[in-house]
Amino acid sequence: MSGTAEEAAGWWRTAVSETGPDVIRFRGYPVEQLIGRVTLAQTVWLLLRGELPAGPQARLLEAALVAAVDHGPQAPSIAAARMAATCGVGLNSAVATGVGLLGDVHGGAGQQCMQLLERVRGRQDGGAALPDAVAAELAAYRERRAYVPGFGHRFHSRDPRRDPLVAMLAAAAADGVVPGAHLAVLVEVERQLGERRGSPVPVNVDGVTAALYCELGFAPELARGLFVLARSVGVLAHAWEETQAGTRIKGPLPPSFSAPYDGPPLRDLPGTAGEPG
Amino acid sequence: MSGTAEEAAGWWRTAVSETGPDVIRFRGYPVEQLIGRVTLAQTVWLLLRGELPAGPQARLLEAALVAAVDHGPQAPSIAAARMAATCGVGLNSAVATGVGLLGDVHGGAGQQCMQLLERVRGRQDGGAALPDAVAAELAAYRERRAYVPGFGHRFHSRDPRRDPLVAMLAAAAADGVVPGAHLAVLVEVERQLGERRGSPVPVNVDGVTAALYCELGFAPELARGLFVLARSVGVLAHAWEETQAGTRIKGPLPPSFSAPYDGPPLRDLPGTAGEPG
Amino acid sequence: MSGTAEEAAGWWRTAVSETGPDVIRFRGYPVEQLIGRVTLAQTVWLLLRGELPAGPQARLLEAALVAAVDHGPQAPSIAAARMAATCGVGLNSAVATGVGLLGDVHGGAGQQCMQLLERVRGRQDGGAALPDAVAAELAAYRERRAYVPGFGHRFHSRDPRRDPLVAMLAAAAADGVVPGAHLAVLVEVERQLGERRGSPVPVNVDGVTAALYCELGFAPELARGLFVLARSVGVLAHAWEETQAGTRIKGPLPPSFSAPYDGPPLRDLPGTAGEPG
Amino acid sequence: MSGTAEEAAGWWRTAVSETGPDVIRFRGYPVEQLIGRVTLAQTVWLLLRGELPAGPQARLLEAALVAAVDHGPQAPSIAAARMAATCGVGLNSAVATGVGLLGDVHGGAGQQCMQLLERVRGRQDGGAALPDAVAAELAAYRERRAYVPGFGHRFHSRDPRRDPLVAMLAAAAADGVVPGAHLAVLVEVERQLGERRGSPVPVNVDGVTAALYCELGFAPELARGLFVLARSVGVLAHAWEETQAGTRIKGPLPPSFSAPYDGPPLRDLPGTAGEPG
C-alpha cells in the first residue's frame, strides 16, 4: 500500500454536497435554507445541474416528472416491484427492483429521442432546413430498419400525456422561457412520420419529455435518470398497495396456473436406469 | 391449469391507476388534467394515499422530502451508486443499487421512530400524561439496551435539518393544519433524552420527518418509502457526477491501496506438495 | 479529515482473500492450485467457512445446491428475472433482480427452519427427550399461530426433493460423516406434524436442506445465502431463455390483458371543471 | 381484456424446467435423479444448454468458475455487497447488490473477448491464415483506439489464473475434448500484442475463460452470465464476513474521513438574505 490519507479522501471528492459536523449544503446552499423554500423539482434540478432553476423552468420539469409516474401493473417495472413486495423484503428493495428494470428498452427511449433531436439540431446548425434535416435523419432510421424512439405507443393511438406537455412547451417557447427549437424538431418528426404512414404516429411520453428535457438543457443520459425518479413514485405506490394486501410470494399468474413446458420430455439420467432417486 | 382469463387479469387488480387505450388515470384523475396543475409532492401523496392533499399538507411533505435528498458519498447508498456508475450499467441500475441499500439500518430509523411515537400516543390514549407515557417508553428502550431511533447523529451535534422542519411543523400545528400531538411527543422525547444524559440529544432527520409523517397520517412503513423517493434524487446526482468523470471500475479506495489480509497464511492445497498449478 | 492511510486501508481488511501483484489466494490457498483441483461446491465452502471440506461433506453440500436451482417461472424470483431480461439490461441485472427477491418469505424458510432445529437441539442439550423437545417447540408455533417453516408445500403433496436428500443425509449419518442429530429432529417434527393433522405434512426443500446445513455446521443465515447461490443458476437460465426469445418489455400478462382497476371512478381535478388538459 | 386463459399461461412457457404437483424436472430429468448424481457445474450446463455435459467438459467449466469467484474488496462488486450487508438488508440483497455491478465494464470483458475470438475464427473460415486474421482484427482495435478485451491487468503483470487454465485447455485440446481452435487464436493474440509492445501482455482471467467458453460452445453473452454465477460465491463470502463483524452503515472510508467538496462555496438562497432557515 503506497497511498496517502489525502489520496484516500480525495477519491470521493464531489461537487454535489458538502457535509461536515452540523453542516449539510447542496451545491453551496445550506439545507436549512432550502427546506420549505424550494420544491422537490427545483431540488432535483439543483443537485443534477448545480444551480437553482427559475420558476417557469422548474414547472416544466415538474410537469414532465408528474406525467411519467405510473403506467399500471402491466409495466414490468411495476409488476416486478409488486412481486418483490410479497417476498419478505423492505419497500426499499421493492423500489430498487422496479427501478432496476428501467433499462435501454423499458426506460431508454427518452434518451434515444434526445439524441435524435440533437442530431437534427446539428444538421440545422450545419445549414440544413428543418424539413430536410428531419428527412435525412428519418431516412437513416429506415435504412437500418430501426424504430424511431419517442413516437407511437403499443397501447395508445394518441398518448394522453402528449397534448398537455406539448401545449406547455409551446407556451413556454412563446414566452421566451425556452428556445423552442427542439420542440419544432419534434413536431416536424411527428408530421413526417404520419405523412409517410398515411395515419398519425403521435409523439409518446418519451418523445415529448425528450423535447422538454432538451429545451431545458439536460444531457440525454438524464432522460433515463429523470424517468427513474418519476417512475419510482408509481413503483412505490404499487409496492405499498401489494404490501397492504398481504399477498405472499406473488407469481405472475394465480397459483391455479402453471407455466407450460416445451422442453425435452421426461427422461432418465444416463446410467440410472430409472431407479428411485 | 384450471384458472380462467378473468382470474389471470384479476391477479393484477389495482386501485392506483387505470390504463387503457388513450386512458391513463391516477386514482381516478386523468393524467392530462394533472400535468402542469399538481406538484410532484402532491402526486406522491395522491398515488400513496388515494386523494390529493391540501396545499399546506403538501408543502410539509415536500419540505420533508427536500431535507432528505442527500448526505454525501460517505453514505453507503451514495457510494455504492457511484461505484455502480463506473461498472458499465445504466443510471437506472446505479439508482437501484443505492436505493437497495436503504434497509432497516441505513433507512429504517424513520419507520421505527414513527412506531415509537405511535406507541406513546397509544399510552396517552390509554390515559397516561405525556411525560409519563414518554418515560415509560424510553425505559423500555433502556431495559433492552436499544438505541432510540430518530435521535442523535454520528456526524452532527445538532442535525441542521432539525430546526427548520420542527419550526414548520409547529407553525402548521398552530394554524390547525396538523394536530400537533406527535410533534409534542417528539419534543418531549428529546427533552427527556437530553435531561438524562446531561447534554442535548437532538432529534435527527429521521426523527423529525417521522413526526411530520405521523402528523400527516402516513403509515410507518412509508417513512422508509418516502425516504427512498427523497434519497433517490441524491443517489442519481452522485451517480451522474461519477458517470461524467469517466472513472472505470471504482473501488472504495484508489488503486494504490489494497485490502489488508488477515486470514490463514499462504498454504499448499492438501496433496499437491506445492507443485505449480 | 483526521484519518490515516493505514486506517483507510484497514477499513477493508478481510480474511477471505488476499490479492496483490500476481497474487490471488483464497483463505491462504493460491488460486493457481485450486483451479482444476477443487469443485465449485468445495470453493463455496472454503470461502464461507475458511477451510476446505472433506469429500463426503462437499458432496452433501453439492446435492443441496443442485436440489434448489430452479422451480419454474411461477416463482417470483424467476419471473422477475425473465421480465428484467426484456427491458434492456444485462444478464447481471436480470440475475440481481431475481436474487433480490429471495427475501424472508420467498427464500427465508430454510434459515427459520435451521433456527427451529437448533432450538430443539438446545432443549435436548437441556435434558429433554427428542419427542418432548419437538412437542414443546411445535406448541409454541401453534400458540402464536405461526406456520412451521420447512414443512408442507403449496404445489407438492410430497416435495420430490425430500426423499433423495433425506436418504443421503441418513447414509452420511450412518457412515459417521455427519452426527445425524438434526436429521433426527427433522424427522420427528415431520412425524408429529403429520400425526396431529392426520395426514402427512412432508418436509419440503427448505426443511431438508436446513437439516443438511445444520449437520454440516453452517450458520442459519447461510441457509439463505446458499439458496441464493443455488437459485442463481435457475434465474440465469430463465433470463437467458427469455433473452434468446427476444421479447421486449415483458409484463406479467400478454398485451391483450390489462389490469382491472378498482379505485375511484373517473373524476375531474378540483377547480378544472373538466376543461381539456 | 380479450385474452384467454391459455394465452395467459402460455406467456410463461419454458423449456428449462417442468413443475407440477410432486413433479420437478430440469430439461426433462427428474430432480430426484439429479440430486447426489450430478455436480453443480453439470447442473449449470444442463440448465443453460439443455443437455448434460460429458465429464471432461464439465471439469473445464468448473475450473473456469472456480477461477473467478473472488478478487478481494477492491472490486466494486465485493465492496458494494459488503456495504449493503451493514445496512439492514438480507444476504440476498447484499448478493444482488454485488452482482448488479457486474456490468459491461466490470464483468463484460469476457463477452467482448469471446466476440473477438469468434471474429478471428470467422476470418479463418473465410480463408485467412491465423496470424493474418489476428493481425487484421488487432489493427481494427488500434484504429479505433480501443483496448483489447481479455489481455493485461491493472494489478497483475501475469494473471495467476492464466497458466493453469491455459494448461487445462491445451491438454483438453490434445485429448480431443475440445477443438482447440479458439485457444490457438487466444495465444496468437497474446503473442502479437506482446511483440508489438516489446513486453508481455498476458491473457487475463476474462480472456482465458473466454477461450474456454468458446471451446465449450457457449454463447458470448453467457461469459457474463457465468462470471455472475462464479463471482456470487465471493460476493456472498464477503457479505457474510461483514455481517459477522456487525458493522453498521459502512461507508467507503472510516467515519474519521469525509469527502472533500469542490462545488460552489457557501451561498445564500436568492431572496433569503441569509436569515436563519
Side-chain angles (χ1 to χ4, degrees), chain B residues 39 41-46 51-59 61:
Chain B
T39 65
Q42 284 176 299
T43 308
V44 169
W45 185 304
L46 174 65
E51 297 298 331
L52 280 167
Q57 271 78 6
R59 278 189 288 279
L61 172 60

PDB file of all heavy atoms in Angstrom, chain B residues 39 41-46 51-59 61:
ATOM      1  N   THR B  39     -48.192  19.400  -8.126  1.00  0.00           N
ATOM      2  CA  THR B  39     -46.747  19.263  -7.936  1.00  0.00           C
ATOM      3  C   THR B  39     -46.383  17.778  -7.839  1.00  0.00           C
ATOM      4  O   THR B  39     -47.251  16.910  -7.689  1.00  0.00           O
ATOM      5  CB  THR B  39     -46.282  19.956  -6.645  1.00  0.00           C
ATOM      6  OG1 THR B  39     -46.866  19.260  -5.534  1.00  0.00           O
ATOM      7  CG2 THR B  39     -46.712  21.415  -6.622  1.00  0.00           C
ATOM      8  N   ALA B  41     -44.810  16.491  -5.352  1.00  0.00           N
ATOM      9  CA  ALA B  41     -45.116  16.068  -3.981  1.00  0.00           C
ATOM     10  C   ALA B  41     -46.606  15.733  -3.837  1.00  0.00           C
ATOM     11  O   ALA B  41     -46.968  14.752  -3.178  1.00  0.00           O
ATOM     12  CB  ALA B  41     -44.712  17.168  -2.991  1.00  0.00           C
ATOM     13  N   GLN B  42     -47.467  16.515  -4.463  1.00  0.00           N
ATOM     14  CA  GLN B  42     -48.900  16.187  -4.428  1.00  0.00           C
ATOM     15  C   GLN B  42     -49.172  14.849  -5.112  1.00  0.00           C
ATOM     16  O   GLN B  42     -50.035  14.080  -4.684  1.00  0.00           O
ATOM     17  CB  GLN B  42     -49.717  17.283  -5.131  1.00  0.00           C
ATOM     18  CG  GLN B  42     -49.884  18.564  -4.321  1.00  0.00           C
ATOM     19  CD  GLN B  42     -50.616  19.643  -5.110  1.00  0.00           C
ATOM     20  OE1 GLN B  42     -50.149  20.074  -6.160  1.00  0.00           O
ATOM     21  NE2 GLN B  42     -51.763  20.063  -4.608  1.00  0.00           N
ATOM     22  N   THR B  43     -48.443  14.597  -6.192  1.00  0.00           N
ATOM     23  CA  THR B  43     -48.633  13.344  -6.921  1.00  0.00           C
ATOM     24  C   THR B  43     -48.180  12.151  -6.092  1.00  0.00           C
ATOM     25  O   THR B  43     -48.798  11.087  -6.109  1.00  0.00           O
ATOM     26  CB  THR B  43     -47.869  13.395  -8.268  1.00  0.00           C
ATOM     27  OG1 THR B  43     -48.254  14.585  -8.956  1.00  0.00           O
ATOM     28  CG2 THR B  43     -48.190  12.192  -9.127  1.00  0.00           C
ATOM     29  N   VAL B  44     -47.080  12.329  -5.361  1.00  0.00           N
ATOM     30  CA  VAL B  44     -46.626  11.283  -4.445  1.00  0.00           C
ATOM     31  C   VAL B  44     -47.753  10.950  -3.461  1.00  0.00           C
ATOM     32  O   VAL B  44     -48.104   9.789  -3.251  1.00  0.00           O
ATOM     33  CB  VAL B  44     -45.362  11.744  -3.677  1.00  0.00           C
ATOM     34  CG1 VAL B  44     -45.031  10.786  -2.543  1.00  0.00           C
ATOM     35  CG2 VAL B  44     -44.179  11.875  -4.638  1.00  0.00           C
ATOM     36  N   TRP B  45     -48.311  11.974  -2.878  1.00  0.00           N
ATOM     37  CA  TRP B  45     -49.391  11.796  -1.898  1.00  0.00           C
ATOM     38  C   TRP B  45     -50.600  11.122  -2.554  1.00  0.00           C
ATOM     39  O   TRP B  45     -51.167  10.163  -2.019  1.00  0.00           O
ATOM     40  CB  TRP B  45     -49.785  13.161  -1.322  1.00  0.00           C
ATOM     41  CG  TRP B  45     -50.800  13.148  -0.231  1.00  0.00           C
ATOM     42  CD1 TRP B  45     -52.059  12.603  -0.268  1.00  0.00           C
ATOM     43  CD2 TRP B  45     -50.655  13.699   1.086  1.00  0.00           C
ATOM     44  NE1 TRP B  45     -52.703  12.808   0.912  1.00  0.00           N
ATOM     45  CE2 TRP B  45     -51.872  13.468   1.769  1.00  0.00           C
ATOM     46  CE3 TRP B  45     -49.637  14.387   1.739  1.00  0.00           C
ATOM     47  CZ2 TRP B  45     -52.082  13.900   3.081  1.00  0.00           C
ATOM     48  CZ3 TRP B  45     -49.845  14.814   3.045  1.00  0.00           C
ATOM     49  CH2 TRP B  45     -51.056  14.567   3.707  1.00  0.00           C
ATOM     50  N   LEU B  46     -50.995  11.614  -3.714  1.00  0.00           N
ATOM     51  CA  LEU B  46     -52.167  11.060  -4.401  1.00  0.00           C
ATOM     52  C   LEU B  46     -51.998   9.568  -4.660  1.00  0.00           C
ATOM     53  O   LEU B  46     -52.903   8.766  -4.379  1.00  0.00           O
ATOM     54  CB  LEU B  46     -52.380  11.787  -5.738  1.00  0.00           C
ATOM     55  CG  LEU B  46     -53.482  11.215  -6.642  1.00  0.00           C
ATOM     56  CD1 LEU B  46     -54.862  11.367  -5.994  1.00  0.00           C
ATOM     57  CD2 LEU B  46     -53.466  11.901  -8.015  1.00  0.00           C
ATOM     58  N   GLU B  51     -56.010  10.272  -2.348  1.00  0.00           N
ATOM     59  CA  GLU B  51     -56.633  11.582  -2.525  1.00  0.00           C
ATOM     60  C   GLU B  51     -55.543  12.646  -2.651  1.00  0.00           C
ATOM     61  O   GLU B  51     -54.438  12.464  -2.169  1.00  0.00           O
ATOM     62  CB  GLU B  51     -57.543  11.919  -1.325  1.00  0.00           C
ATOM     63  CG  GLU B  51     -58.719  10.973  -1.159  1.00  0.00           C
ATOM     64  CD  GLU B  51     -59.682  10.990  -2.342  1.00  0.00           C
ATOM     65  OE1 GLU B  51     -59.782  12.046  -3.009  1.00  0.00           O
ATOM     66  OE2 GLU B  51     -60.322   9.952  -2.603  1.00  0.00           O
ATOM     67  N   LEU B  52     -55.888  13.767  -3.276  1.00  0.00           N
ATOM     68  CA  LEU B  52     -54.955  14.886  -3.345  1.00  0.00           C
ATOM     69  C   LEU B  52     -54.884  15.578  -1.993  1.00  0.00           C
ATOM     70  O   LEU B  52     -55.904  15.755  -1.334  1.00  0.00           O
ATOM     71  CB  LEU B  52     -55.421  15.888  -4.406  1.00  0.00           C
ATOM     72  CG  LEU B  52     -55.094  15.513  -5.848  1.00  0.00           C
ATOM     73  CD1 LEU B  52     -55.873  16.401  -6.800  1.00  0.00           C
ATOM     74  CD2 LEU B  52     -53.600  15.655  -6.109  1.00  0.00           C
ATOM     75  N   PRO B  53     -53.697  15.982  -1.572  1.00  0.00           N
ATOM     76  CA  PRO B  53     -53.584  16.703  -0.300  1.00  0.00           C
ATOM     77  C   PRO B  53     -53.950  18.171  -0.506  1.00  0.00           C
ATOM     78  O   PRO B  53     -53.848  18.700  -1.614  1.00  0.00           O
ATOM     79  CB  PRO B  53     -52.096  16.575   0.023  1.00  0.00           C
ATOM     80  CG  PRO B  53     -51.441  16.559  -1.315  1.00  0.00           C
ATOM     81  CD  PRO B  53     -52.387  15.832  -2.229  1.00  0.00           C
ATOM     82  N   ALA B  54     -54.344  18.805   0.584  1.00  0.00           N
ATOM     83  CA  ALA B  54     -54.482  20.260   0.553  1.00  0.00           C
ATOM     84  C   ALA B  54     -53.080  20.872   0.437  1.00  0.00           C
ATOM     85  O   ALA B  54     -52.075  20.217   0.732  1.00  0.00           O
ATOM     86  CB  ALA B  54     -55.166  20.737   1.830  1.00  0.00           C
ATOM     87  N   GLY B  55     -53.036  22.127   0.037  1.00  0.00           N
ATOM     88  CA  GLY B  55     -51.754  22.803  -0.181  1.00  0.00           C
ATOM     89  C   GLY B  55     -50.827  22.776   1.024  1.00  0.00           C
ATOM     90  O   GLY B  55     -49.645  22.388   0.891  1.00  0.00           O
ATOM     91  N   PRO B  56     -51.277  23.153   2.204  1.00  0.00           N
ATOM     92  CA  PRO B  56     -50.356  23.186   3.358  1.00  0.00           C
ATOM     93  C   PRO B  56     -49.791  21.808   3.707  1.00  0.00           C
ATOM     94  O   PRO B  56     -48.625  21.683   4.079  1.00  0.00           O
ATOM     95  CB  PRO B  56     -51.243  23.715   4.497  1.00  0.00           C
ATOM     96  CG  PRO B  56     -52.332  24.482   3.808  1.00  0.00           C
ATOM     97  CD  PRO B  56     -52.590  23.750   2.525  1.00  0.00           C
ATOM     98  N   GLN B  57     -50.622  20.789   3.583  1.00  0.00           N
ATOM     99  CA  GLN B  57     -50.143  19.422   3.830  1.00  0.00           C
ATOM    100  C   GLN B  57     -49.058  19.056   2.805  1.00  0.00           C
ATOM    101  O   GLN B  57     -48.027  18.480   3.149  1.00  0.00           O
ATOM    102  CB  GLN B  57     -51.289  18.404   3.723  1.00  0.00           C
ATOM    103  CG  GLN B  57     -52.039  18.151   5.004  1.00  0.00           C
ATOM    104  CD  GLN B  57     -53.030  19.249   5.324  1.00  0.00           C
ATOM    105  OE1 GLN B  57     -53.242  20.157   4.521  1.00  0.00           O
ATOM    106  NE2 GLN B  57     -53.628  19.187   6.503  1.00  0.00           N
ATOM    107  N   ALA B  58     -49.329  19.378   1.549  1.00  0.00           N
ATOM    108  CA  ALA B  58     -48.365  19.041   0.501  1.00  0.00           C
ATOM    109  C   ALA B  58     -47.031  19.739   0.728  1.00  0.00           C
ATOM    110  O   ALA B  58     -45.966  19.167   0.472  1.00  0.00           O
ATOM    111  CB  ALA B  58     -48.933  19.407  -0.868  1.00  0.00           C
ATOM    112  N   ARG B  59     -47.107  20.974   1.250  1.00  0.00           N
ATOM    113  CA  ARG B  59     -45.844  21.693   1.469  1.00  0.00           C
ATOM    114  C   ARG B  59     -45.022  21.064   2.597  1.00  0.00           C
ATOM    115  O   ARG B  59     -43.802  21.047   2.555  1.00  0.00           O
ATOM    116  CB  ARG B  59     -46.128  23.174   1.744  1.00  0.00           C
ATOM    117  CG  ARG B  59     -46.350  23.960   0.440  1.00  0.00           C
ATOM    118  CD  ARG B  59     -46.410  25.467   0.661  1.00  0.00           C
ATOM    119  NE  ARG B  59     -47.641  25.887   1.330  1.00  0.00           N
ATOM    120  CZ  ARG B  59     -48.825  26.074   0.722  1.00  0.00           C
ATOM    121  NH1 ARG B  59     -48.938  25.876  -0.591  1.00  0.00           N
ATOM    122  NH2 ARG B  59     -49.872  26.457   1.398  1.00  0.00           N
ATOM    123  N   LEU B  61     -45.039  17.828   3.323  1.00  0.00           N
ATOM    124  CA  LEU B  61     -44.444  16.634   2.713  1.00  0.00           C
ATOM    125  C   LEU B  61     -43.242  17.023   1.852  1.00  0.00           C
ATOM    126  O   LEU B  61     -42.183  16.395   1.916  1.00  0.00           O
ATOM    127  CB  LEU B  61     -45.496  15.906   1.866  1.00  0.00           C
ATOM    128  CG  LEU B  61     -44.982  14.752   1.014  1.00  0.00           C
ATOM    129  CD1 LEU B  61     -44.345  13.657   1.873  1.00  0.00           C
ATOM    130  CD2 LEU B  61     -46.113  14.156   0.168  1.00  0.00           C
TER     131      LEU B  61
END
